[in-house]
């Protein structure tokens, strides 16, 4: 086992832990959730995963922010990739944007639908899979990023004590 010899008592405890099915499955589920939260930007983010513009590829999710002028828009602040995706579809010039499954930030967007006021019900069409809160922010995005903050805070606190 990677050159690490474990104490026989520790091996016995690990074997006993594996025999407790609920605990073992809970550990596996917890590890999967922590790993998912580490790569959450690939599934839930307001930044595009890949943008193809004029033959060049951009990867804004894990890079620097790209101003709108980079993609031919008329503003200097960070690109609104959902709007850019709509623009590219209208132009049909070979440019495209690949967005995450949930294309919303947990804090930035305040979604408004046809002049009505939030909260909105879950919707596959708008990709708000758990709906929005009273301000119009995506609930699923807030849950995932909130989980990451809470878990890593508790792990740091546990290690510190």
């Amino acid at each position: 086992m990677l050159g690490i010899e474990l104490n026989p008592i520790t091996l016995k405890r690990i074997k006993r832990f594996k025999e407790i099915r609920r605990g073992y499955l809970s550990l596996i589920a917890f590890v999967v959730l922590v790993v998912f939260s580490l790569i959450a930007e690939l599934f839930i983010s307001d930044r595009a995963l890949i943008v193809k513009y004029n033959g060049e590829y951009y990867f804004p999710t894990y890079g620097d922010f790209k101003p709108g002028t980079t993609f031919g828009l008329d503003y200097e602040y960070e690109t609104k990739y959902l709007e850019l995706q709509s623009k590219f579809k209208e132009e049909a010039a070979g440019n495209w944007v690949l967005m995450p499954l949930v294309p919303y930030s947990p804090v930035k967007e305040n979604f408004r639908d046809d002049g009505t006021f939030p909260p909105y019900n879950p919707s596959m069409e708008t990709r708000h899979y758990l709906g929005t809160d009273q301000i119009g922010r995506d609930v699923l995005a807030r849950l995932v990023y909130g989980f990451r903050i809470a878990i890593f805070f508790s792990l740091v606190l546990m290690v510190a004590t």
Side-chain angles (χ1 to χ4, degrees):
M1 195 167 138
L2 300 174
I4 300 173
E5 267 190 58
L6 296 175
N7 184 334
I9 295 173
T10 304
L11 291 173
K12 187 176 180 180
R13 288 179 180 167
I14 291 172
K15 183 180 176 200
R16 171 114 169 86
F17 179 72
K18 286 182 179 180
E19 290 172 357
I20 303 171
R21 190 160 180 84
R22 282 185 297 178
Y24 188 63
L25 292 176
S26 296
L27 175 66
I28 291 171
F30 178 73
V31 169
V32 167
L33 286 172
V34 168
V35 169
F36 175 75
S37 75
L38 290 173
I39 59 171
E41 287 84 3
L42 297 175
F43 302 98
I44 302 170
S45 176
D46 60 337
R47 287 184 166 188
L49 298 173
I50 305 170
V51 177
K52 181 183 178 213
Y53 178 66
N54 291 339
E56 290 189 45
Y57 291 90
Y58 299 89
F59 302 93
T61 299
Y62 288 109
D64 292 335
F65 89 95
K66 303 288 183 205
T69 54
T70 305
F71 304 111
L73 301 172
D74 60 351
Y75 51 84
E76 288 289 330
Y77 50 88
E78 186 168 10
T79 304
K80 296 179 180 177
Y81 292 101
L82 282 175
E83 291 175 8
L84 184 65
Q85 186 177 38
S86 301
K87 179 182 178 231
F88 285 172
K89 281 182 183 177
E90 289 173 11
E91 292 173 354
N95 299 323
W96 50 268
V97 176
L98 177 63
M99 293 298 292
L101 184 64
V102 179
Y104 302 105
S105 164
V107 291
K108 290 186 209 171
E109 273 87 24
N110 291 334
F111 185 74
R112 299 275 191 257
D113 189 23
D114 299 330
T116 59
F117 295 100
Y120 298 113
N121 292 330
S123 168
M124 298 297 274
E125 181 183 327
T126 60
R127 296 197 279 185
H128 288 291
Y129 300 109
L130 295 180
T132 65
D133 63 5
Q134 295 83 358
I135 303 173
R137 299 171 298 195
D138 188 75
V139 171
L140 180 58
R142 293 180 61 77
L143 281 173
V144 170
Y145 285 97
F147 173 82
R148 177 166 50 184
I149 291 168
I151 286 302
F152 286 105
F153 176 77
S154 63
L155 289 174
V156 167
L157 192 63
M158 182 182 71
V159 169
T161 57

